[in-house]
Amino acid sequence: MDVINPATEERIATLTEDNAQTLQEKWQRLKMAQPAWQARALADRITVVKRFSELLEAHSDTLAQILTSEVGKPLTQSANEIRGAIARISWLTANAAKYLGDELMNETADMEERIVYEPLGVIANISAWNYPYLVGVNVFVPALLAGNAVLYKPSEYASLTGLEIERLWKEAGLNADLFQTAIGPGSVGAAILDMPFDGYYFTGSYKTGHFIYNKVAAKMVPCQCELGGKDPLYVADDVTDVAAVAAATADGAFYNNGQSCCSVERIYVHENKYDAYVDAFVKELRSWKTGAPTEEGVYFGPLTRKDQIQLLEDQISDAVQKGAQVRTGGKKADGRGYYFQPTVLTHVTGDMRVMREESFGPVIGIMKVKDDAAAIAQMKDTEYGLTAAVYSSNPERATAILQQVDAGTGYWNCCDRVSAALPWSGRKHSGFGATLSHSGLRAFTRPKAYHLKKP
């Protein structure tokens, strides 16, 4: 399998894909090693995970360079991702004992009632390329803390990073048989679904998540899917600093080239602020530098996947045919690499593909709305339900709007952020299950109830 640098379109590595035999061998190693890991004290498991985090920090420069070379995100953003992963690990290790330890629920003179959180066993983590450290940490860190063994399949677009993660786990002192990496395209992921894992955890598109869920349902084991979104954002007419709001929300829409599941994907602006907001948004966008992701000060690197260019072009073409106007950008950038011009569309309507289908790229539609009711109607008109955001000077107003939107996360005066202390979950086509917070730590366990009658 060739690894291609999306900035240069050059081959930077060739890897050997896994097959049915190598996958079976890796599963057997995981299965044999897991009971001893489960038997180790939680404090010991926490120590190993902390050592892994220390190694991430120690090697962050090299890891960021590898990540940038295969996914194309600017080097500063790769470094930011690794720092974010370290911060999440810090929260997870600090709270593991609280949420994974035994719970005494009730005790009387003759009876004790207790919950013990047992690991699932051997889990499969089919991960994503856009934030391999962050979405990986969301799964394999709590899974290992809980006493599971992990087969980790990085995306074929982030395989070098996946192999670095495996190497650091071994260096951190984790038994090599407890964390195995599966290399290859979607066919390797499909083969994993036919194997007897004790849980499946996927991050990626709705289409693939739907396939995985249906494929493993008959096994009656846990299956969590963190999928995409068409995340709405509303700018109310009581915002005071339009330029600041435009700058913050532009970053929420275009960070990592818009290749984030929780990127802002559609924007609604009260008619009283619309013109000023669009002008400020476009001005902010044009101030950001596009170039080689290794260059200092670059905000826009290439897209990770070549085929995404056609999808964006099709969405823009559909919008223009239906009356949208291109305020800036609108097409692939000239030259080598998978570069796409950051694009803003105005005069958009709810029936346009760009306002309904996930774009996962540097394209945004901005729609004028008459009032809060009109904004709510547009925000709710989606099959997705990952995040929703409101910018307003009035917290009660913002909360009242967010309560009406069926999404796993609500933002007031912020967007495109994740906290390890809060559960990350989607609704409808954005998936099901939760990572992070106490929900995410316990997502890799089975609770066992003990009724202990005293003699």
Side-chain angles (χ1 to χ4, degrees):
M1 184 182 75
D2 291 335
V3 179
I4 305 299
N5 184 326
T8 64
E9 301 186 51
E10 296 174 348
R11 182 177 61 189
I12 55 176
T14 300
L15 303 176
T16 301
E17 295 179 12
D18 274 287
N19 54 44
Q21 180 180 343
T22 60
L23 289 173
Q24 183 64 28
E25 291 170 354
K26 290 177 179 182
W27 180 84
Q28 289 285 358
R29 294 173 66 182
L30 292 163
K31 191 71 173 178
M32 292 294 293
Q34 188 274 328
W37 179 243
Q38 176 180 348
R40 289 185 64 175
L42 176 57
D44 292 342
R45 300 198 294 266
I46 290 172
T47 297
V48 173
V49 173
K50 285 183 175 179
R51 177 58 180 155
F52 171 76
S53 181
E54 292 168 357
L55 291 170
L56 282 180
E57 185 169 14
H59 298 284
S60 59
D61 289 346
T62 300
L63 299 174
Q65 290 169 1
I66 293 171
L67 178 58
T68 289
S69 73
E70 62 179 343
V71 305
K73 68 173 62 181
L75 195 56
T76 54
Q77 295 184 20
S78 291
N80 288 343
E81 179 181 347
I82 294 169
R83 282 194 293 270
I86 293 168
R88 289 189 191 178
I89 294 172
S90 178
W91 191 92
L92 291 166
T93 53
N95 289 274
K98 179 179 180 181
Y99 295 118
L100 295 177
D102 296 357
E103 282 189 294
L104 178 62
M105 304 304 293
N106 189 38
E107 186 173 20
T108 63
D110 63 346
M111 178 67 71
E112 180 180 304
E113 298 172 347
R114 181 178 295 274
I115 302 173
V116 173
Y117 293 93
E118 298 181 341
L120 298 173
V122 181
I123 67 107
N125 176 199
I126 302 174
S127 199
W129 52 263
N130 59 330
Y131 289 99
Y133 285 102
L134 290 174
V135 298
V137 159
N138 288 2
V139 174
F140 57 65
V141 165
L144 289 168
L145 286 170
N148 297 279
V150 177
L151 179 75
Y152 174 63
K153 187 207 171 292
S155 164
E156 60 268 38
Y157 298 101
S159 295
L160 298 179
T161 293
L163 291 172
E164 288 298 307
I165 289 171
E166 180 182 44
R167 180 182 66 81
L168 292 183
W169 276 120
K170 294 176 182 177
E171 189 175 340
L174 185 71
N175 182 331
D177 290 345
L178 288 167
F179 189 93
Q180 294 285 304
T181 301
I183 298 297
S187 58
V188 173
I192 291 170
L193 304 182
D194 292 326
M195 301 176 68
F197 286 94
D198 300 307
Y200 295 84
Y201 298 80
F202 169 72
T203 304
S205 70
Y206 164 74
K207 180 181 179 181
T208 304
H210 185 269
F211 172 80
I212 290 173
Y213 182 63
N214 279 282
K215 184 73 172 179
V216 305
K219 300 182 182 185
M220 299 186 72
V221 297
C223 175
Q224 285 194 185
C225 293
E226 179 189 332
L227 309 179
K230 194 66 183 175
D231 298 5
L233 181 145
Y234 173 47
V235 180
D237 60 341
D238 61 353
V239 296
T240 56
D241 190 338
V242 174
V245 171
T249 52
D251 186 59
F254 289 98
Y255 190 83
N256 195 28
N257 241 339
Q259 298 171 128
S260 304
C261 54
C262 59
S263 288
V264 176
E265 289 241 349
R266 50 198 174 105
I267 298 176
Y268 306 99
V269 185
H270 193 285
E271 61 184 9
N272 292 344
K273 299 290 185 178
Y274 182 81
D275 291 338
Y277 174 86
V278 171
D279 290 343
F281 191 102
V282 172
K283 180 180 179 181
E284 179 70 20
L285 197 60
R286 288 174 173 168
S287 72
W288 295 341
K289 180 180 178 181
T290 298
T294 52
E295 290 180 11
E296 185 175 353
V298 166
Y299 185 92
F300 290 106
L303 294 169
T304 302
R305 299 175 299 169
K306 184 178 183 179
D307 57 3
Q308 196 69 8
I309 292 173
Q310 186 64 54
L311 183 149
L312 298 177
E313 289 178 339
D314 290 347
Q315 286 188 351
I316 293 167
S317 176
D318 170 77
V320 171
Q321 289 175 17
K322 293 175 180 176
Q325 295 182 6
V326 179
R327 281 293 301 265
T328 188
K331 61 182 181 180
K332 181 185 182 302
D334 296 333
R336 292 179 64 82
Y338 310 147
Y339 289 89
F340 198 90
Q341 296 175 349
T343 301
V344 174
L345 298 167
T346 57
H347 295 82
V348 293
T349 56
D351 64 331
M352 296 176 181
R353 290 178 56 190
V354 75
M355 300 299 282
R356 305 199 67 81
E357 301 173 3
E358 189 173 20
S359 299
F360 223 66
V363 175
I364 194 72
I366 307 178
M367 182 187 296
K368 181 191 297 185
V369 293
K370 182 179 180 180
D371 52 27
D372 291 0
I376 293 167
Q378 294 293 338
M379 295 171 80
K380 292 171 65 176
D381 185 20
T382 181
E383 295 177 324
Y384 293 95
L386 191 59
T387 81
V390 174
Y391 276 72
S392 167
S393 62
N394 186 327
E396 290 79 17
R397 179 182 184 181
T399 301
I401 294 170
L402 291 171
Q403 286 174 341
Q404 298 180 64
V405 181
D406 189 14
T409 293
Y411 299 119
W412 172 49
N413 290 344
C414 59
C415 56
D416 188 32
R417 72 183 302 272
V418 180
S419 168
L422 298 176
W424 188 248
S425 62
R427 300 179 182 180
K428 300 185 286 186
H429 285 190
S430 290
F432 47 87
T435 55
L436 300 177
S437 190
H438 57 79
S439 301
L441 279 165
R442 289 176 174 170
F444 304 90
T445 67
R446 296 174 296 178
K448 177 177 285 187
Y450 279 93
H451 304 252
L452 306 173
K453 186 173 177 61
K454 300 175 184 178

